[in-house]
Amino acid sequence: MKQIVILASGSGSNAENIISFFKEKGSAEVSAVFTNKKTAGVLERCDRLKTAAFYFNRTAFSDSDGFVKLLKGLNPDLIVLAGFLWKIPTSLLKAFPNTIINIHPSLLPKYGGKGMYGAKVHQAVRENLESETGITIHYVNENYDEGAIIFQAKTRVEPSDDADSIAKKVHELEYEHFPRVIEKLLLKDGK
Ligand code: GAR
């Protein structure tokens, strides 16, 4: 069976959605979730879903040899960043070419880059009076939010929307599309 590893830093609602999707489908499984935050909500979600989850600190992550070996041992077909906020070290990118993907809550290249995550993205979209926003799923490279785009989906921003309601619309797009895009990538030749 195809193996997915998820890296997440926060609440983990996307991680939960992906885990549940593949539990139901049976076409792949999330073998483990890793987080860089001890208090991340994703840990509690994984406990509830009976999915293995691990915390790692900055030292473990930047000792890339160790981390690469750990991940290699899990033999992942895809490494999925679902709200993961640390930059991926070059050694990890080299060890897993075309294997690490990220979801970003805007229509990249708009509202990407260092410091642009979660609510900050939606506030900027609101402040700039954008009429649409959306999600971008992309391969990860050495720069924040700059890897090749795999998929985008849009939603309208109404004048009455605030950052919270924009976040809700964007999350809905994420829940709808992210697991399906992952499934498609896993079905592709060579994955
Ligand atoms: C998601 O909206 C994801 O797109 C975003 O963080 C949120 C995590 O929510 N990622 C970024 O902003 C990355 N730059 P979740 O923890 O509930 O899945």
Side-chain angles (χ1 to χ4, degrees):
M1 184 169 338
K2 303 280 185 189
Q3 299 296 322
I4 302 164
V5 164
I6 296 179
L7 270 58
S9 302
S11 150
S13 66
N14 276 286
E16 172 160 4
N17 184 50
I18 295 163
I19 292 165
S20 304
F21 178 91
F22 286 106
K23 273 192 176 171
E24 206 178 305
K25 280 275 187 131
S27 53
E29 73 177 346
V30 176
S31 40
V33 175
F34 289 88
T35 185
N36 61 324
K37 214 170 152 210
K38 271 184 197 158
T39 54
V42 72
L43 289 170
E44 183 279 321
R45 289 183 196 264
C46 287
D47 217 15
R48 180 161 40 77
L49 294 161
K50 306 212 179 315
T51 297
F54 304 91
Y55 161 77
F56 60 86
N57 62 15
R58 180 74 76 173
T59 309
F61 195 55
S62 37
D63 167 14
S64 47
D65 260 13
F67 202 69
V68 165
K69 268 188 202 149
L70 189 70
L71 289 185
K72 283 276 179 198
L74 293 169
N75 205 15
D77 295 286
L78 214 51
I79 297 172
V80 174
L81 312 188
F84 183 68
L85 301 183
W86 282 357
K87 199 163 171 177
I88 302 299
T90 312
S91 52
L92 205 56
L93 294 170
K94 281 199 177 137
F96 294 99
N98 291 319
T99 303
I100 310 178
I101 66 167
N102 179 46
I103 190 160
H104 187 79
S106 75
L107 295 170
L108 290 174
K110 283 187 158 185
Y111 306 106
K114 192 168 163 52
M116 276 308 228
Y117 59 87
K120 290 188 184 175
V121 175
H122 309 309
Q123 274 152 16
V125 165
R126 174 70 284 163
E127 276 159 24
N128 289 324
L129 304 175
E130 297 283 358
S131 60
E132 60 179 21
T133 186
I135 60 167
T136 303
I137 298 167
H138 63 95
Y139 285 105
V140 174
N141 70 8
E142 39 291 304
N143 300 316
Y144 277 110
D145 305 324
E146 284 184 15
I149 291 176
I150 302 163
F151 176 88
Q152 292 189 303
K154 291 177 182 175
T155 182
R156 281 193 58 75
V157 179
E158 305 297 342
S160 57
D161 276 323
D162 59 14
D164 284 348
S165 63
I166 295 171
K168 194 162 177 282
K169 288 178 177 179
V170 168
H171 262 124
E172 274 162 21
L173 282 182
E174 293 182 331
Y175 302 151
E176 184 186 347
H177 295 289
F178 204 12
R180 288 176 180 80
V181 171
I182 291 169
E183 191 177 41
K184 265 196 186 160
L185 288 172
L186 288 171
L187 291 174
K188 258 174 47 179
D189 279 347
K191 272 271 155 260

